[in-house]
Every structure is written in C-alpha cells, then in structure tokens.
Amino acid sequence: MKVITTVAEMEAERGRMNGGVGLVPTMGALHEGHLSLVRRARAESDHVVVSVFVNPTQFGPSEDFAAYPRDLDRDLRLLEDEGADIVFAPPAEEIYPPGFDDWVEVRGPLAERLEGEFRPGHFRGVTTVVARLFRVVRPQRAYFGEKDAQQLRVVRRMAAEQRLPVEVAGLPTVREPDGLAMSSRNAYLSPEERRAALVVPRALELGRRMVEVDGVREAAAVRSAAEELIRREPRARIDYVSVSDPETLEELCEIDRPALLLLAVRIGATRLIDNAMLLPRSP
Ligand code: AMP
C-alpha cells in the first residue's frame, strides 16, 4: 500500500494504473462503516484508492473541524488490512492552494434543504472537495454511505452536472449492535450521551413500524411520532425530522411510495444524522 500526499504524485500514480479504479473518500477516524465501502471497492476494482482528508471547507465556523478525530497511523493499518492500494492523504494546501477559487456547487432543494439549511456552506465544501478528488483520481466508481443520504444524492447530482464520468455507488449504513449508526463523531459521546443517542435509531424504527406494519400513510403522523419519541429524551435536541422523496429530498405529505425518514439530532454538543427507507404496504 502506498501513501500519497501530493496531487501531482497522485495524478502520476493514476496515469500508471490500468483497469478499473475505485475511490472511497473519507475524513479518516475509520470505522466499520468506512471499511464496508473499502471492501466493496476491493471486490469491484483493480485499484482501490482511499482518500483521508478532513476537509476544512465543509465545516462551519462554529463546528468541530479542530476537534475532529484524527489518527492516520491507525487508519493506515486498517486500510492495509483491507487491501487498499493507495491512500491519498494530502495536507489542506494541496487541495486548496493559495488563491483557490474553484468552488463547485449544487443548487436547488436537493442541496439547500435539511443539512443544507442547518449547515450553510457544508455541501459546497463537500462538492468542491469531491469534484477535485474525482478529477485527480479519475475513478470509474466511487463509494459513499447511505448514512449520509443527502450527501450521496448531492454528490451524484454534482458528478452529473460537472460531466464527470464516475458511477457513484451508495452502500447500506453499518450499525452498532444496539442500532446506533457508526460515525466518527460517536467518539464524542459520554456514556450517558451514548445511551441517549439510541433515540435516533429508535425513532427510525418507530417510523418504519408505523408505515410498514400499521399501514400509516400520512407523513405528518410519522414526523410527529418520531419527534415525540425524541423529545422524551432530555439530552436530545431536534434539528429536523423529515419524510422526503428519496430522489429529490422534497418533503412528502403522503407516503404512497418509498420515502426516506431523515433525522438530525443533537445529543449534548454532538450532532448525529441518520435515516431509514420507509416502504409502504401495497394497498
Ligand atoms: P466521513 O469520513 O464521515 O466523511 O465518511 C466517509 C464515507 O463513509 C461517507 O460516504 C459516509 O457516508 C460513509 N459512512 C460513514 N458512516 C457510515 C456507516 N455507518 N455506514 C456506512 N457508510 C458510512
């Protein structure tokens, strides 16, 4: 496994590759969720490139960029064990050289609602860095998690708009045995907060049961029930509870086709997002 830290060296290495290239973009502090993407990339590609880059431009001024967990040595050991070929771990100046102004942005509700509303500028940072990674690594396929459902859709739209010839694959969310979605940010949770965080998967499960078992069709009923459950946890604060169209991420009134239940909840100072697909019973 080779560790590359400059864009020039990454481009040169890419030029020497023959066959299919799979890219897994990450911010490091790797867990089983990330590794599931690397395994899929390994199974489907001749060359597996994993990027490890804590992207400053996708963090807001009052967010956790400085505190974000970083442990490159551990990440490299895990990636070596998974058979990654290249780890691209550039310093910020490589991606954002002085005078950088090459922003890539997706507009419209897909990027402006939900995370776009609560984290202004976040997706501009994501689409800018991912476009740059796609241009440097030129993967045939790139792997993202459904855990960040809106990000996955925004990245797909960005690649289409920028005419970047890459297939963006979305893989299922990997969870802890008790249902909490794996996330590098879970490391911030105190033991009490870790217990409180279970309201997130429980609210998703409640929504799923309402739609899939009880046959509820009104999105408002699902939203209220999920909100009520989360409000019963004193450490939890809701940013949003949304029942959205899985393609456009526009809010739904009636769940008469598959829908995404998306949650953003703060537990103490830690912001968690998660989602589940709701599949209505056929009439
Ligand atoms: P991050 O390091 O948080 O930027 O995440 C890198 C990639 O891993 C993104 O495509 C995420 O959606 C994905 N990812 C993060 N957590 C999980 C998870 N629990 N299961 C599956 N994929 C995940």
Side-chain angles (χ1 to χ4, degrees):
M1 187 175 79
K2 204 163 178 175
V3 181
I4 293 181
T5 58
T6 68
V7 167
E9 206 187 330
M10 185 65 238
E11 283 170 338
E13 189 69 29
R14 175 63 181 90
R16 291 190 283 273
M17 289 175 188
N18 294 309
V21 176
L23 170 67
V24 182
T26 82
M27 299 205 298
L30 301 180
H31 50 65
E32 276 296 314
H34 298 113
L35 299 181
S36 73
L37 308 183
V38 177
R39 274 174 215 138
R40 177 71 73 86
R42 182 67 286 167
E44 296 181 348
S45 339
D46 298 303
H47 304 275
V48 174
V49 180
V50 180
S51 60
V52 176
F53 180 64
V54 184
N55 176 33
T57 63
Q58 72 186 67
F59 290 79
S62 57
E63 293 183 3
D64 55 341
F65 174 67
Y68 197 83
R70 293 163 171 86
D71 189 346
L72 186 60
D73 289 339
R74 176 176 174 276
D75 292 344
L76 294 178
R77 282 197 299 277
L78 292 170
L79 293 173
E80 176 102 61
D81 289 347
E82 296 301 338
D85 298 303
I86 305 286
V87 177
F88 181 43
E93 323 73 271
E94 278 291 317
I95 302 294
Y96 302 108
F100 176 88
D101 199 23
D102 191 15
W103 298 100
V104 175
E105 198 163 2
V106 165
R107 291 178 192 277
L110 184 66
E112 286 163 12
R113 296 189 62 232
L114 307 171
E115 290 301 286
E117 185 182 333
F118 282 87
R119 303 184 69 189
H122 169 67
F123 284 128
R124 183 172 90 138
V126 169
T127 46
T128 297
V129 76
V130 172
R132 205 149 162 77
L133 290 169
F134 284 179
R135 291 204 168 92
V136 172
V137 177
R138 290 185 285 120
Q140 275 82 13
R141 207 174 271 176
Y143 298 83
F144 289 79
E146 278 284 358
K147 152 86 167 50
D148 300 283
Q150 191 175 10
Q151 167 174 277
L152 169 64
R153 286 152 181 82
V154 168
V155 166
R156 273 197 186 125
R157 172 78 61 84
M158 178 281 289
E161 288 178 358
Q162 300 291 317
R163 316 279 309 149
L164 295 168
V166 52
E167 184 193 329
V168 176
L171 270 64
T173 302
V174 177
R175 297 176 179 282
E176 300 286 357
D178 62 7
L180 184 68
M182 290 195 180
S183 163
S184 308
R185 290 191 166 98
N186 293 351
Y188 298 147
L189 299 168
S190 69
E192 299 74 41
E193 289 172 339
R194 174 65 182 73
R195 275 189 289 277
L198 287 178
V199 289
V200 174
R202 284 184 187 144
L204 294 176
E205 196 42 48
L206 172 64
R208 195 152 44 200
R209 249 194 347 261
M210 287 175 75
V211 172
E212 298 184 4
V213 180
D214 305 335
V216 173
R217 294 290 190 99
E218 307 82 60
V222 173
R223 279 194 296 271
S224 315
E227 281 169 7
E228 207 173 295
L229 185 147
I230 297 166
R231 288 213 183 92
R232 286 208 292 268
E233 168 49 61
R235 293 174 199 271
R237 294 283 175 275
I238 297 172
D239 272 0
Y240 59 76
V241 171
S242 164
V243 176
S244 288
D245 179 290
E247 311 257 301
T248 63
L249 292 187
E250 284 173 309
E251 207 64 38
L252 291 180
C253 294
E254 198 178 350
I255 308 171
D256 51 2
R257 55 204 149 102
L260 260 185
L261 174 55
L262 301 124
L263 308 181
V265 176
R266 284 171 288 122
I267 307 286
T270 304
R271 189 168 180 282
L272 301 177
I273 60 170
D274 201 350
N275 66 86
M277 194 67 90
L278 309 176
L279 302 170
R281 295 190 312 189
S282 35

